Each structure stands twice: as structure tokens, then as C-alpha cells.
Amino acid sequence: SLVRQTMEGTADDAPMEVEPVAAAAPAEELEPIKLDILALIKTSQNEHGLRHGDYERYRVYCAKRARRIRKSVGFLHGSKSRFVKRTLQSSACKDERHLMIPLMNAERAWSFAMHLKRQSNGELRPRHHMLHRLAKAARWASELHALCAERGDKRTVLEAEAYAAWMVGTHALERESWAPALRSFFRARTIYSELSRVSLLGEQQLYREMADEIQPI
């Protein structure tokens, strides 16, 4: 048959040389990343302005730290003269510094919103700006959760989910969307309470205090 002739060849055929096929390199297996989100943000807040209610100082700190981290991992948005938007993919997250980028961005947007809220005195335009910044903070927190779901260890995933739920709830509360705010706060408080139950003594207090801060509407 034609198939058999093709496979066997003829006497006049030159012997076929089969080039060896290089084996595909195994995909790099990345270790899950650990990031103590709540401990990190509480320490940063207390050391950089929020102990005295200085949201503007904390915002500046978060912006500078995010910039330093992006530079250290080579994740820059172009140059000073040309901005190029880049999206952080989970496959690019090699260590906790990558996860700290959306975390610091969320904290920066949230602290700016709190600063605007304090300065608004009920005026419409500053309030609109404040809500816009809170929406941005919620998006960054949700991005952090998505990245942690792909690259974080189990505790980091839970912390990121709680943090995102709290931030989304904060935005919903300021928009006076009571039901979504209540659902988000309940989820955050449930996770922090559970983490306090299964953690070591020092961590227990931190999680318990955060759960207690999240009061029902």
C-alpha cells in the first residue's frame, strides 16, 4: 500500500536520518509565596503616620515603597518620559515583593481616600474624588487576592481574601450600599476570626483585633 511503501521505502531510497528531538524543559515549579499581609500593613501604618492619623504621610510612604519594590523586581512602567502600563501576571510573581506591589497600591489609594474624606467637610466634589480612590483601592485589593490565589500559600490566600473583602466593604459603605457592605464585612470578619483561632499566640491577637474592628453596619 502507499502507506506501507512510504514507511518502508525502496532499495533506491537513501537511509533516513532522524534528528533527535530535544526533550522539553520541565516547567519551573514555583514555591507558594508567604506574605503576612495584616502584620505588614499594621506595622507600616503605625510607623508611617497613622498612629497620629496622618493619612497623607502614609500615602506618600506607600507610593515611595511601591516604586522601590517595582524597581527592585524590574517591574517598571516605562521611563520618566514615557509611561507604559504593565499588568502583573501570577506567573511573574517569584517572591513576596511582587505581591507587595498591589498591596502598597491599595494602601496608597485607601489612605488618599481617607485623607480626602477628612478634608471634604461634606462637599460633593471631594466626596466624589474620595469614592473614586476607594474604588481604586478595592480593585488593587481584589488584584492582590487574585494573584495570591494563584501564587500564595494557604494562609496568604485567606489573608488576601479578608483584606479584599474589607476594602470592598469599605467602598460599599461609603457609597451607602448597605447590603453589599454587610456581606463583605461579614466575610472579612469571619476569616480574621478563623485565622485568630488557628494561629500562634502573637498572631492571634492581631487577627482578633482586626475582627473586632469590623463592626456590623
Side-chain angles (χ1 to χ4, degrees), residues 9 11 45 53-54 58 65 67 75-76 95 101 112 135 149 155 172-173 189 198:
Q45 290 173 359
D54 191 343
Y58 183 55
R65 188 168 189 185
R67 194 178 304 116
F75 192 76
L76 297 174
D95 58 51
I101 295 173
F112 194 11
R155 181 181 294 270
L173 180 63
R189 187 171 187 176
V198 299

Side-chain angles (χ1 to χ4, degrees), residues 64-77 86 92 94-101:
K64 289 181 177 179
R65 188 168 189 185
R67 194 178 304 116
R68 288 197 302 269
I69 295 170
R70 287 199 304 270
K71 186 175 182 180
S72 71
V73 299
F75 192 76
L76 297 174
H77 296 289
R86 298 179 63 189
K94 308 299 183 183
D95 58 51
E96 69 278 358
R97 292 175 299 170
H98 292 90
L99 299 182
M100 287 173 64
I101 295 173

Side-chain angles (χ1 to χ4, degrees), residues 23-31 91 94:
E28 182 183 0
E29 186 173 346
L30 300 174
E31 287 291 325
S91 58
K94 308 299 183 183

